[in-house]
Amino acid sequence: MADPMKFRNVEVLAPMVRAGTLPLRLECLRYGASLVYGEEIIDRKLIGAQRVENHAFGCIDYVSPREKVSVFSTCATETKKVIFQLGTASAPLAVEAARLVCQDVSGIDVNMGCPKSFSVKGGMGAALLDKPEVVAEILTSLRRALPSEKSLTCKIRMLPSTDKTRDFMRICEKSGAEAITVHLRLRDERPAEPAHWDEMARVWDAVKVPVLANGDFFNRRQIDEFWKHCSEKECQVSGVMIARGALWNPSIFSRDPPNFDDMVKSYVRSAVATNSTYQNTKWVLSQMLAGGTGVTVPTSFNGISMKVFNRELSATKSMAQICTAFGEPHDQSKYPTRAHTTVFYKDFAFEDTKRPLETEVSEESAPKSRKIEPESGESA
C-alpha cells in the first residue's frame, strides 16, 4: 500500500498550468520539496497518447499522435515524488488515463478545485464540488484500479459553509482519497483575494487522512507563519501546497537558498537538460524575473538592469539565445533535431494502435513504450 507518511509534515509544489512542467518540478525537488504535482492534464488529452522513452534527454514523454506534442513528461529522478493531477468528470475515462501513466508516477490526484471555464464547463474541477456522487464514483473506481502502492488524492476548494466543506471531505475520504488538499478560497474567489487561513482550523479534523493547505504561500516567511498559526490554533495540518511562490522562486522550499542569479541559472540548465520548449522556458523565466506578492527580485541580473535584461529575454527566439542571455553554455549540435521546440515530435513515427478500455491496472495492460535515441554523434 502507499506510504502512510507520504503526506505527513510535507511542503509540496502545487499543480500549475504552464508552470508545473518537468524542469520546475526538478528544481523544487532540488531545494527540498517533499512532493511535486504536475500541471492538470485532462483525461481525454492523455488517453491515446503513446509512451516514448526519450533517451536523448533521459525522459519519459507521453506524446499525442494527433497533436504531435508531449502531453506529459517525467524522468526517473522524480518518479517516487511526482503526483499526476488529472482533470476528469468520468470514472471510466479517469481509470483509462490513470492506466496509461501510473507506472511513471507516485500517485494520481483528482482536480476538484479549478474554477476556470474550460474545466467547469466540462463538469471537471470546481464543478465536482456540486456532484458528490460523481466524485465518489471517480475516486472509488480509481482506487480499485490503481496498484495499491500508488497514492490517490484530491484537491478541492472551500464550499459555501464549513459544514459543507467537512461533509465533502468525508465523501472523498470514504471513497478512497488518501490525502486531501484544501485550497482556502471559495470557488468564485480569485488569486488577488486573500486565502482564508483561519478556515483550516475548522476543517482539518473532518477526516482522518492527511489534510494539506493551499493558498497565499508566497515566501518562506509566510510558510513559517502558517505553520506557527496552525500550532497556535492546535490545528494538525499535514502540509502546505505552494503554487505561485514556487514559480517565482523554486528555492522557497529551502532554508539555505542560493542567491537569485544562481537559482535562475539552475532553472535554465534544468530546462535544457529536460528538452523543455524554449517558449515555456522563456515564460517561466519571465515570471521568476518579475516576482510577485511578497517576493522582491534584484534590480539587476548579470550586471544588467532588470528592465534591460527583461527586454533581452523577450527578444530571444531559441533555447540557444536564452542560454546566451543567461551566460550558460549551449551547443545545439549535441541535441536531436528540433530539440527545445514545440515541433520536436513532428516527424516521429507513431504506432496506429487502439487499446480497449481497462478498469484495472496491471503490468500486462500498461502501455508499451516507443523509443527515441540520440542521433549519431549526439550526447545523451
Side-chain angles (χ1 to χ4, degrees), residues 41 44-54 59-74 100-101 104 275 342-351 353 355 367-372:
I41 305 295
R44 291 184 183 276
K45 189 172 183 179
L46 183 66
I47 293 171
Q50 292 187 16
R51 183 180 187 272
V52 179
E53 295 181 7
N54 186 347
C59 300
I60 300 296
D61 296 333
Y62 285 82
V63 185
S64 166
R66 183 173 64 86
E67 299 178 2
K68 297 186 176 181
V69 296
S70 176
V71 174
F72 175 71
S73 184
T74 185
L100 283 165
V101 77
D104 293 310
N275 197 31
T342 58
V343 293
F344 182 72
Y345 282 102
K346 181 180 179 182
D347 297 326
F348 188 73
F350 294 96
E351 290 182 345
T353 58
R355 290 188 300 272
K368 300 299 185 291
S369 299
R370 303 293 307 288
K371 295 182 180 181
I372 184 168

Side-chain angles (χ1 to χ4, degrees), residues 290-356:
T293 306
V295 177
T296 303
V297 299
T299 57
S300 64
F301 188 87
N302 267 0
I304 304 172
S305 78
M306 193 63 80
K307 186 175 181 179
V308 172
F309 190 83
N310 273 312
R311 284 202 300 266
E312 291 184 2
L313 175 62
S314 181
T316 59
K317 295 183 179 180
S318 69
M319 188 64 84
Q321 291 180 6
I322 290 174
C323 288
T324 297
F326 284 88
E328 289 294 315
H330 182 81
D331 183 355
Q332 190 63 41
S333 67
K334 293 182 177 181
Y335 303 103
T337 304
R338 300 194 181 100
H340 307 113
T341 72
T342 58
V343 293
F344 182 72
Y345 282 102
K346 181 180 179 182
D347 297 326
F348 188 73
F350 294 96
E351 290 182 345
D352 184 16
T353 58
K354 300 290 185 181
R355 290 188 300 272

Side-chain angles (χ1 to χ4, degrees), residues 58-173:
C59 300
I60 300 296
D61 296 333
Y62 285 82
V63 185
S64 166
R66 183 173 64 86
E67 299 178 2
K68 297 186 176 181
V69 296
S70 176
V71 174
F72 175 71
S73 184
T74 185
C75 68
T77 301
E78 69 167 6
T79 301
K80 294 182 179 180
K81 298 286 188 177
V82 65
I83 306 294
F84 184 91
Q85 193 184 62
L86 186 62
T88 187
S90 162
L93 293 179
V95 168
E96 178 68 353
R99 185 185 76 86
L100 283 165
V101 77
C102 73
Q103 65 181 306
D104 293 310
V105 299
S106 178
I108 302 292
D109 182 82
V110 180
N111 185 332
M112 302 181 187
C114 179
K116 295 183 179 179
S117 60
F118 81 90
S119 190
V120 174
K121 287 179 180 177
M124 301 174 289
L128 290 172
L129 298 174
D130 297 326
K131 300 177 181 178
E133 68 287 346
V134 176
V135 166
E137 182 183 7
I138 290 171
L139 291 176
T140 300
S141 298
L142 282 170
R143 184 64 281 168
R144 184 169 57 242
L146 287 169
S148 59
E149 69 274 13
K150 303 297 182 179
S151 60
L152 175 64
T153 59
C154 58
K155 182 172 184 283
I156 72 172
R157 279 191 175 232
M158 291 165 43
L159 278 79
S161 72
T162 297
D163 286 344
K164 288 184 177 180
T165 303
R166 291 174 65 89
D167 288 345
F168 191 86
M169 292 170 68
R170 292 188 185 107
I171 290 170
C172 294
E173 178 185 44

